[in-house]
Amino acid sequence: MTQPVRVRFAPSPTGPLHIGGVRTALYNYLFARKHGGKFLLRIEDTDQKRYVPGAESYILRTLEWLGLSYDEGPNVGGDFGPYRQSERSALYRKYAEQLVQSGKAYYAFDTPDELDAMRAKLQQAKAASTSYTSAVRLQMKNSLSFSPADTDAWLQSGKPYVIRLKVDPGEEIVFRDLIRDEVRFVTDLLDDKVLIKADGLPTYHLANVVDDHLMQISHVIRGEEWLPSTAHHVLLYRAFGWEATMPVFAHLPLILKPNGKGKLSKRDGVKFDMPVFPLSWDGASPEESFKGFREYGFYPEAVINFLALLGWHPEDDREVFDLSDLVEAFSLRRVQKSGAIFDYEKAKWFNKQYLLRKTPEELARELEPLAAAKNYDVSGDYLKQVAVLMQPRVDFVKDILEDGYYFFEEVKTYDRKAVKKRWKPEKQALLDELADVLEGVDRFLARYIEPAVKAWMEQRELGPGAVFPLVRLALTGSLKGPGVFETMEVLTQYVTVRRLREAGSKLNPIPESVS
Ligand code: GLU
């Protein structure tokens, strides 16, 4: 019988979730849903020094915003709880003591100064490793070098101590990774990892392995940065006698900077003004507050789609996938080994794909609060009309109001180059003539405006180049934008005519403020 699929996302609440963490959550989610398994959220909060208040709720909000629902976790419960490691701390000690009893772990009493001295000595001797390994452990203060009586006396005295895993040299560790195939480590240089710290709390390694075992995790899907730790994890499974039910590992590729050189960092996000985090974070200090994908105006579906393809590729060349399509298509076997480049332009492209699928009604609804925030007093119907025109031209909904601001207020800036090239004071007469023509259009709809304007152009023997750039400048300040006749219709006859008649007063002389 094959083990049921149970996977977990196990973030440490040490700050905002990096985009890599979100991708890990997503791949776990997809894998669980694809195989009809369970997706768990486990909060790994045993490192008190790195604990950041508010980080856990940020993580929960992020998953909620993205629609990555979990079956078991801190706020939803489940049969394997509690799902916050700080609420399980007594348990880890019991397991560590069990390893001490079976000779797989030991108590160590060295002070930080003694550990520093050890490292300095090993460094000086140019030793192969400067860590606490089998090569030095008998020269250190621990229950292997002390007599049983001295060990007991120390433990009774209340002085601090840790529990370390006893790593024997000369062993080979081989495990299967679904992305990297077979991975091998030799134990010779591996250190005797601390399992229980002097504060009595477990280290990540112990808590992670104990919980993955107790929570019956079938597959550990996590970032590549955890690959080296896996050697110790395998040793822990062996030490506990749990090797037969050890999870299958899958280490996801790193996410690289847009130039492909090195790991994507928070600093890259700030430097290139692109989000590296999914939501905004109001951390403890001002430096920790920044904008995330949500604040940049991304749709959660677009973030999901973008992240799914950051390291995974489907069998065909399809790119747009919603969450249920992804569940269907996803497989860990198609996750690449090499680093995946974070391409912000691609992220925007994905947002655009989702924006293009929206109906005018949906867009108008999304625009309403944004327009209200700008004090635009407009109807839903008007927003709908503007949305239809701007939809193919923007990546984000908010850009409809930014790029198309001239639908809501007077033209503020004029394209300087275009004005210089196209505008001369004598052109006002032409715009006035056109304004007269437009005043004569009974039903001010693009389909009636167009023939009227074209008839006038023909009669006056004016080509498009002589008319449209000027009209665009007068109406919008720019040569770009939606179709001229559609723009006129939405602006209304009154505003169109007024802007044409007032163009000269704004453009003679060419205003300094033009951009
Ligand atoms: N707590 C670890 C982290 O913050 C979990 C790593 C793992 O999935 O084993 O990423």
Side-chain angles (χ1 to χ4, degrees), residues 8 10-12 42 44 204 208 212 220-222 226 233:
R8 84 301 192 273
S12 299
R42 183 173 74 222
E44 301 208 327
Y204 153 71
N208 188 268
D212 282 347
V220 167
I221 305 167
R222 62 184 170 197
W226 302 103
H233 298 177

Side-chain angles (χ1 to χ4, degrees), residues 437-448:
V437 172
L438 292 172
E439 273 174 335
V441 176
D442 278 344
R443 295 187 62 202
F444 208 68
L445 300 174
R447 61 177 186 279
Y448 302 122

Side-chain angles (χ1 to χ4, degrees), residues 101-121:
Q101 296 319 313
S102 62
K104 309 280 188 193
Y106 59 92
Y107 303 111
F109 310 119
D110 318 271
T111 64
D113 285 347
E114 287 162 347
L115 292 173
D116 285 346
M118 172 201 83
R119 271 188 287 271
K121 210 166 115 191

Side-chain angles (χ1 to χ4, degrees), residues 40-60:
L40 284 67
L41 175 67
R42 183 173 74 222
I43 302 294
E44 301 208 327
D45 57 352
T46 60
D47 191 345
Q48 287 183 321
K49 283 198 285 287
R50 296 182 59 219
Y51 180 79
V52 174
E56 180 184 322
S57 73
Y58 168 90
I59 292 167
L60 302 186

Side-chain angles (χ1 to χ4, degrees), residues 172-201:
E172 194 174 27
I173 301 165
V174 184
F175 64 89
R176 202 160 67 89
D177 186 290
L178 286 181
I179 296 162
R180 275 142 234 279
D181 300 324
E182 208 174 76
V183 182
R184 286 170 186 272
F185 286 99
V186 283
T187 55
D188 298 24
L189 296 181
L190 294 184
D191 62 325
D192 286 356
K193 276 264 178 285
V194 171
L195 302 178
I196 297 282
K197 295 172 285 182
D199 64 6
L201 291 174

